[in-house]
Each structure stands twice: as structure tokens, then as C-alpha cells.
């Protein structure tokens, strides 16, 4: 940007410089979010899929209290994010801002994850042991696509 001095000479105003700095900051934040998403995806895949075929029959006895608590927290989180996603959807439709739509998308992804976690913890079987990592990977990929869309758009 050219040096800012007097606007009558056609040089850059403070508002334009501030806008450019904010765009640079936003781009840096978005790139960092994409990097963190890939990092979480890699760690999730490495951790969860290492134990993919390990299911223990005595799992119900050893972790019954933990399973009950997980189910309650998952369903409470599902209800909370359903409410939050609904409010953000209404707000996004009213204000017509991209940031509101991005916030709505984040809430929907969190809601779907808590729903899958609630179903998996309520019906704990061998298949539900694999549902949580599959949902986590799918939703991380959805958030990565959303982050890349934000960076490009």
C-alpha cells in the first residue's frame, strides 16, 4: 500500500489500511484453522483406527457408569447444539452475513456429532464402537471443506 498522508492526493486512507490488515488477519486465522483441522484429523485417524478391531465382551461391565454418563452428556449436547444451530440459522437468514452462515455450519456439525455420539452410547454394541470415529472423521472433513471454502471465498 502507498504511504498514507493526505487523502486529497488520492493516497490510501486509514480505513482502507485497517480493512487490509483485517483481511490479512482473517486469512492467517483461516489458514491456521485448516492446519489444525488436518492435525486433528491425522491424530484421530491414528488413534482410533489403531484400535479398530479391539472390542471386549466385558466392556459393558467395566464401563457401565461411564457409558451412562456419556449417553446423558451426548444427548444434552445434542439438544444444546440443536437449539444453538436453530438460533444461528434464524440469525443467518435475518442478517445475511457470511460469518453467521459459517457459525451456523459449525453448530450443525457439532449437533450431528453429538447426535451420533448419543446414538452410539445409547446402543452400545460392536458397531457403535466404530460409529464415533467414522463420524468424527467425516465431520472433520466437512469442517475442513468449510474452512477451505471460507479461505477461497
Amino acid at each position: 500500500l502507498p504511504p498514507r498522508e493526505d487523502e486529497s492526493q488520492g493516497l490510501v486512507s486509514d480505513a482502507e489500511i485497517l480493512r487490509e490488515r483485517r483481511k490479512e488477519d482473517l486469512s492467517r486465522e483461516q489458514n491456521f484453522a485448516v492446519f489444525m483441522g488436518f492435525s486433528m484429523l491425522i491424530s484421530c485417524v491414528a488413534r482410533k483406527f489403531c484400535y479398530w478391531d479391539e472390542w471386549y465382551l466385558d466392556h459393558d461391565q467395566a464401563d457401565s457408569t461411564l457409558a451412562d454418563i456419556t449417553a446423558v452428556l451426548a444427548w444434552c449436547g445434542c439438544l444444546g447444539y440443536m437449539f444453538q444451530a436453530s438460533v444461528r440459522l434464524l440469525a443467518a437468514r435475518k442478517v445475511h452475513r457470511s460469518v453467521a452462515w459459517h457459525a451456523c455450519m459449525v453448530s450443525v456439525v457439532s449437533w450431528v456429532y453429538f447426535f451420533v455420539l448419543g446414538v452410539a452410547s445409547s446402543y452400545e454394541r460392536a458397531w457403535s464402537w466404530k460409529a464415533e470415529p467414522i463420524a468424527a472423521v467425516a465431520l472433520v472433513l466437512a469442517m475442513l471443506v468449510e474452512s477451505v471454502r471460507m479461505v477461497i471465498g
Side-chain angles (χ1 to χ4, degrees):
L1 293 175
R4 56 186 168 118
E5 290 177 4
D6 185 20
E7 286 190 50
S8 63
Q9 294 177 337
L11 298 177
V12 179
S13 69
D14 288 340
E16 290 179 35
I17 291 175
L18 181 62
R19 191 185 75 209
E20 288 297 319
R21 284 186 181 160
R22 285 182 178 168
K23 282 174 58 176
E24 290 173 6
D25 291 343
L26 178 63
S27 177
R28 184 174 42 252
E29 291 283 333
Q30 290 168 340
N31 290 332
F32 183 71
V34 169
F35 170 75
M36 291 304 294
F38 277 119
S39 300
M40 288 188 289
L41 177 65
I42 290 169
S43 67
C44 174
V45 168
R47 175 80 175 113
K48 290 292 185 176
F49 294 129
C50 285
Y51 299 105
W52 186 255
D53 291 324
E54 293 185 25
W55 172 259
Y56 301 102
L57 295 178
D58 64 345
H59 179 72
D60 290 335
Q61 294 174 349
D63 295 334
S64 64
T65 304
L66 182 60
D68 293 339
I69 292 171
T70 302
V72 169
L73 291 175
W75 288 116
C76 288
C78 182
L79 289 175
Y81 276 106
M82 184 188 317
F83 175 74
Q84 185 182 55
S86 300
V87 169
R88 286 183 172 181
L89 177 64
L90 293 173
R93 292 181 70 192
K94 184 168 181 100
V95 299
H96 301 290
R97 298 276 188 190
S98 63
V99 69
W101 287 108
H102 296 313
C104 181
M105 180 66 173
V106 169
S107 293
V108 167
V109 167
S110 298
W111 170 62
V112 170
Y113 181 73
F114 271 106
F115 178 77
V116 170
L117 192 60
V119 169
S121 63
S122 295
Y123 304 102
E124 200 163 326
R125 303 285 183 269
W127 66 267
S128 66
W129 174 249
K130 296 177 181 180
E132 186 262 336
I134 291 171
V137 169
L139 294 173
V140 164
L141 289 174
M143 290 311 300
L144 283 173
V145 168
E146 178 69 8
S147 297
V148 168
R149 190 180 69 82
M150 283 173 53
V151 169
I152 292 172

